[in-house]
Amino acid sequence: MATFLYRTGRFAFRRRHFVVLIWVALLALAGVGAANAPAAGSSSFSVPGTESQKAFDLLDERFPGTGADGATARVVFKAPSGERLTEPAGKKAVRKAVSELRQGAEVASVDDPYTAGAVSRDRTIAYARVAYDVPGMELRDSSRAALETAAEHARDSGLTVEIGGDALQTAPETGATEVIGIAVAAVVLVITFGSLVSAGLPLLTALIGVGIGVSSITALASTLDLGSTTSILAMMIGLAVGIDYALFIVSRFRAELAEGRRGEEAAGRAVGTAGSAVVFAGLTVVIALVGLSVVDIPMLTKMGVAAAGTVVIAVLIALTLVPALIGFAGKRVRPANAGGLFRRRRGDARHHAHHAHRAPRAPRAERPNMGTRWARFVIRRPVAVLLLCVAALGAVAVPAGSIELGLGDDGSQPVSTTQRRAYDLLSEGFGPGFNGPLVVVTDAKGTDDPRGAVRDVAADLKGLDDVAAVTPATFDQAGDTAIITVVPASKPSSGETEELVGAIRAAGAEITDRTGAEVSVTGTTALNIDTSQKLTDAMLPYLALVVGLAFLLLIVVFRSVLVPLKAALGFLLSVMAALGAVVAVFQWGWLGSLLGVEQTGPIMSMMPIFLVGVVFGLAMDYEVFLVTRIREAHVHGERPGQAIVTGFRHSARVVTAAAVIMIAVFAGFIGSHEAMIKSIGFGLATAVFFDAFVVRMAIVPAVLALLGRRAWWLPGWLDRILPNVDVEGEGLRPADTADEVEAPGPAAEPEPARV
């Protein structure tokens, strides 16, 4: 592995024009594809294997042409204080708005509130349902503008008018906070390297990688039915890992230059050593993201695979484009003090004869850097550090035990939005359960008396607790399948509504035994409940698969059993603490106002498992980068404690910079208006903080110090069958010849290789 990557790095440095041309061509090709691709619609959301999905599929089969995938809007009207909508003035204003709504080019139908029974009992609130021919993401801007104009005209007559539904749904956009995250990353890179060129390389290559990845996703979005959040999540992860991977290659290159190696040799060794860590770190991220497919939710699978593709691009860029650009940058990438060091040595030699009478000064002891001092502190007090860190993460993780899962609706929108105000008005006028009706589908095709079976179902539904209303059954053309709408008495995300879904399904099972008619429950609320349950059930198999595969991979990398085990346990600590923080902020509301969380409630169902997958991959990044340097020192004969200090001396600063960059990038997405993006951005930023600064920087050296040489124990039989991937670069030829090592003096400048 190291030898192959060493040759790759030298080739990219030597043939840099060719390598850069290929990546620029790929970026241009992806950009042209994205620009000419058809606009992507809203991604279809399905949860295979659940009762709600089966019922939804049955509706598509038995009630064709109903436009189930078309956008809908609810225009909600409220009369002024002391007036009613049934009075002539109110009725005239509402019907004028309904007439105006029907003029829309993409409108399929508009219900009149007075004929559809959509007026509240106190006659103060009513709503008109608007159905469109196309999904919400495909609505033209003119259709949305016509909807809002009709509402505005109704407001001019004195009514309160708000709009809910997915007709106002638009693709989430990135905002200024993401740019701030990148700016913070740039500042951290400049501080780390002390050079604008060295700092600019990781940013430039990461942006190129994200550009290729996101443009490719955009180009394929319509064909592969990718959701609007897919590209944002790919951008989030691609930026973070792209900067980090390039950061480690550039940092190792500068370290090789500091040891006196020429440019091409330094690039080869940087890619051969740090590049090996990048490959295996990237593999763990890819495993974690692609492993999301085991949940069997197509939308989640597509998100994971798309993000994994962006990670693969980031790895390839780090191994090829970074050394190529280093070749163009030449001596401007080298450490700031290297030239001065060489010049001082040369000057000392040149003037030595003239100052021989002076007594030589004792060499000034180099002050240990922060990584060295921290490592020495930890290995002196490993037990105290370990106990303190575990207790702190355990305390933060406590709220995770109270996590509630659900999928967002208009009730989770900020109170400043018209969708949220429409939601609240409907709850006020028609009850809290009105925003989350349950659709009960009765398939009586195989019964002797289909209508009698449907009547039995309706009667049983009316007798259940927490039922506010049961609408009359609607039959299909064949008369053997019926839809009954049940309005719960409680809000959609409540435990009472979840219990009602279970009660309906239990009653349906009894009816099936009695009449042969099959009863199933669907609708957004039921689908949310089933999705949450499926994700909960998939968590343990997913963890077993991902952690198991990564555990085997890390055994190969570190040639140890205990180090990968420690890595996995540390990950569990950091991810549980991150979930606890997410629950505290987004469910309990702690510090919510500081983060722009206007509405607390259940955590997005897909968020925990996605957080687990991404955080596991990123956690293994830091594990690989940090521990490979410790193992490298151990392999070269250093004692366990000294190997820890050496590893931290060389890599602690870079790992810290990488973590700060990743936190900044993820934190930038907290400013998103999309609830899922906001919570994932916060969760990832928090998890990276816990994992990098508590687990990897404190718990890892403490555990390694306690284990000593036993940390690198590997059974003999396993050692014989494992492949030797040589992450430490032991197989690289020694760079001690005149053409590979620079002599002190002006020639110490890293010379660009000839093309």
Side-chain angles (χ1 to χ4, degrees):
M1 170 71 77
T3 302
F4 170 76
L5 293 177
Y6 167 80
R7 293 170 180 168
T8 300
R10 289 182 65 117
F11 173 84
F13 185 95
R14 190 168 56 251
R15 301 287 184 235
R16 50 190 175 273
H17 293 89
F18 174 69
V19 172
V20 170
L21 182 62
I22 288 179
W23 283 110
V24 171
L26 289 174
L27 178 61
L29 183 64
V32 171
N36 296 322
S42 57
S43 176
S44 58
F45 183 81
S46 62
V47 189
T50 60
E51 179 178 315
S52 53
Q53 185 63 47
K54 292 176 182 176
F56 187 80
D57 295 340
L58 181 63
L59 288 177
D60 279 347
E61 176 188 342
R62 304 288 174 85
F63 293 84
T66 56
D69 60 342
T72 59
R74 280 177 172 174
V75 182
V76 187
F77 307 92
K78 183 176 182 179
S81 178
E83 299 181 18
R84 296 184 178 182
L85 292 178
T86 52
E87 296 173 358
K91 185 176 291 188
K92 179 181 178 181
V94 170
R95 283 189 163 155
K96 182 180 178 181
V98 169
S99 177
E100 189 173 349
L101 289 169
R102 286 173 176 161
Q103 306 306 314
E106 296 175 301
V107 172
S109 64
V110 180
D111 295 338
D112 186 323
Y114 301 101
T115 59
V119 181
S120 64
R121 290 183 178 179
D122 61 5
R123 305 295 187 261
T124 61
I125 296 175
Y127 69 91
R129 182 181 181 274
V130 185
Y132 291 87
D133 294 322
V134 296
M137 297 296 293
E138 298 178 17
L139 270 181
R140 293 196 294 263
D141 290 339
S142 59
S143 295
R144 293 193 182 94
L147 179 64
E148 293 171 350
T149 300
E152 189 61 36
H153 289 167
R155 291 189 188 103
D156 292 340
S157 64
L159 301 180
T160 298
V161 186
E162 305 295 347
I163 307 171
D166 61 353
L168 296 182
Q169 180 183 4
T170 57
E173 299 178 355
T174 56
T177 51
E178 289 88 334
V179 178
I180 294 174
I182 296 175
V184 172
V187 172
V188 173
L189 288 170
V190 171
I191 294 174
T192 302
F193 288 133
S195 163
L196 290 176
V197 174
S198 298
L201 279 176
L203 279 176
L204 175 62
T205 55
L207 290 174
I208 291 174
V210 168
I212 294 173
V214 173
S215 296
S216 300
I217 292 171
T218 303
L220 298 172
S222 179
T223 304
L224 301 181
D225 189 28
L226 302 178
S228 56
T229 57
T230 302
S231 59
I232 293 182
L233 293 173
M235 180 192 302
M236 182 191 301
I237 296 169
L239 266 179
V241 300
I243 294 174
D244 278 7
Y245 294 166
L247 167 64
F248 279 94
I249 298 292
V250 173
S251 176
R252 188 60 184 251
F253 174 78
R254 286 159 55 93
E256 297 295 333
L257 285 183
E259 294 182 8
R261 295 188 175 89
R262 294 183 182 273
E264 183 177 332
E265 176 66 17
R269 286 185 164 266
V271 176
T273 52
S276 297
V278 166
V279 169
F280 284 101
L283 274 176
T284 58
V285 180
V286 170
I287 288 173
L289 291 171
V290 175
L292 291 170
S293 59
V294 304
V295 183
D296 194 25
I297 295 179
M299 178 182 174
L300 194 60
T301 299
K302 292 171 185 176
M303 289 165 58
V305 172
T310 308
V311 172
V312 171
I313 293 172
V315 171
L316 294 177
I317 282 181
L319 301 179
T320 57
L321 183 59
V322 170
L325 293 179
I326 284 174
F328 283 110
K331 62 183 180 181
R332 287 167 293 183
V333 180
R334 72 176 187 172
N337 64 342
L341 175 62
F342 290 138
R343 284 193 294 272
R344 284 195 301 273
R345 288 177 177 174
R346 185 185 181 193
D348 289 347
R350 187 168 54 213
H351 298 289
H352 178 71
H354 298 286
H355 300 277
H357 62 281
R358 294 184 181 181
R361 295 181 180 180
R364 189 175 182 178
E366 184 179 353
R367 185 171 182 266
N369 62 18
M370 179 65 73
T372 301
R373 297 197 300 273
W374 173 252
R376 289 173 178 170
F377 171 80
V378 173
I379 62 178
R380 285 198 302 268
R381 303 170 180 83
V383 175
V385 170
L386 180 61
L387 292 178
L388 178 62
C389 291
V390 171
L393 291 179
V396 178
V398 169
S402 303
I403 190 169
E404 298 176 5
L405 301 179
L407 293 180
D409 55 15
D410 285 347
S412 61
Q413 296 275 0
V415 293
S416 58
T417 62
T418 185
Q419 296 96 318
R420 171 60 188 278
R421 292 195 293 265
Y423 182 97
D424 292 340
L425 284 177
L426 290 172
S427 296
E428 177 188 342
F430 301 93
F434 187 79
N435 285 292
L438 305 175
V439 180
V440 180
V441 183
T442 304
D443 181 7
K445 190 172 184 178
T447 64
D448 297 332
D449 182 11
R451 292 187 176 272
V454 172
R455 284 195 299 271
D456 289 345
V457 173
D460 286 354
L461 293 176
K462 291 177 181 178
L464 296 176
D465 295 335
D466 206 52
V467 172
V470 177
T471 65
T474 301
F475 285 86
D476 64 345
Q477 289 184 350
D480 54 19
T481 305
I483 300 174
I484 302 174
T485 301
V486 177
V487 178
S490 303
K491 62 181 183 178
S493 59
S494 66
E496 291 83 359
T497 300
E498 184 173 349
E499 292 175 2
L500 175 59
V501 172
I504 294 174
R505 288 172 174 169
E510 296 176 1
I511 293 172
T512 300
D513 294 339
R514 188 170 68 247
T515 67
E518 296 184 3
V519 179
S520 53
V521 186
T522 187
T524 303
T525 302
L527 188 64
N528 290 353
I529 293 170
D530 289 347
T531 301
S532 300
Q533 187 59 50
K534 185 164 187 173
L535 289 166
T536 302
D537 294 341
M539 183 67 79
L540 286 180
Y542 172 71
L543 278 174
L545 173 68
V546 173
V547 176
L549 288 176
F551 181 79
L552 296 176
L553 182 66
L554 292 179
I555 287 179
V556 174
V557 174
F558 296 130
R559 307 194 74 79
S560 164
V561 174
L562 297 180
V563 170
L565 180 61
K566 165 197 59 67
L569 294 177
F571 151 74
L572 291 176
L573 276 174
S574 59
V575 78
M576 289 305 297
L579 281 175
V582 169
V583 170
V585 172
F586 290 89
Q587 185 176 312
W588 293 358
W590 293 4
L591 303 178
S593 59
L594 297 178
L595 299 174
V597 180
E598 298 184 22
Q599 178 65 27
T600 60
I603 306 301
M604 295 291 291
S605 296
M606 289 184 292
M607 190 269 180
I609 200 164
F610 191 85
L611 179 69
V612 167
V614 176
V615 171
F616 180 80
L618 299 180
M620 295 306 104
D621 277 5
Y622 297 118
E623 182 75 13
V624 170
F625 289 138
L626 184 62
V627 180
T628 49
R629 204 66 193 255
I630 296 175
R631 174 170 168 74
E632 185 177 340
H634 173 74
V635 167
H636 288 110
E638 294 188 8
R639 298 188 310 276
Q642 184 57 39
I644 295 172
V645 174
T646 300
F648 270 72
R649 181 171 67 248
H650 289 294
S651 58
R653 183 181 182 185
V654 180
V655 169
T656 299
V660 172
I661 289 169
M662 204 170 275
I663 291 170
V665 172
F666 289 148
F669 289 85
I670 298 175
S672 172
H673 296 298
E674 196 75 15
M676 183 174 181
I677 300 297
K678 180 188 288 286
S679 61
I680 287 181
F682 173 80
L684 289 176
T686 305
V688 169
F689 174 81
F690 289 147
D691 195 85
F693 294 110
V694 181
V695 175
R696 308 303 154 189
M697 287 294 180
I699 293 179
V700 165
V703 172
L704 290 178
L706 290 173
L707 291 175
R709 296 186 183 277
R710 291 169 294 181
W712 310 107
W713 171 78
L714 186 69
W717 63 270
L718 187 57
D719 186 42
R720 289 189 293 272
I721 65 175
L722 286 180
N724 184 12
V725 296
D726 189 20
V727 176
E728 299 81 16
E730 292 179 86
L732 300 183
R733 60 194 179 94
D736 55 5
T737 59
D739 64 326
E740 293 171 341
V741 181
E742 295 179 318
E749 305 287 324
E751 301 174 359
R754 290 184 295 273
V755 179

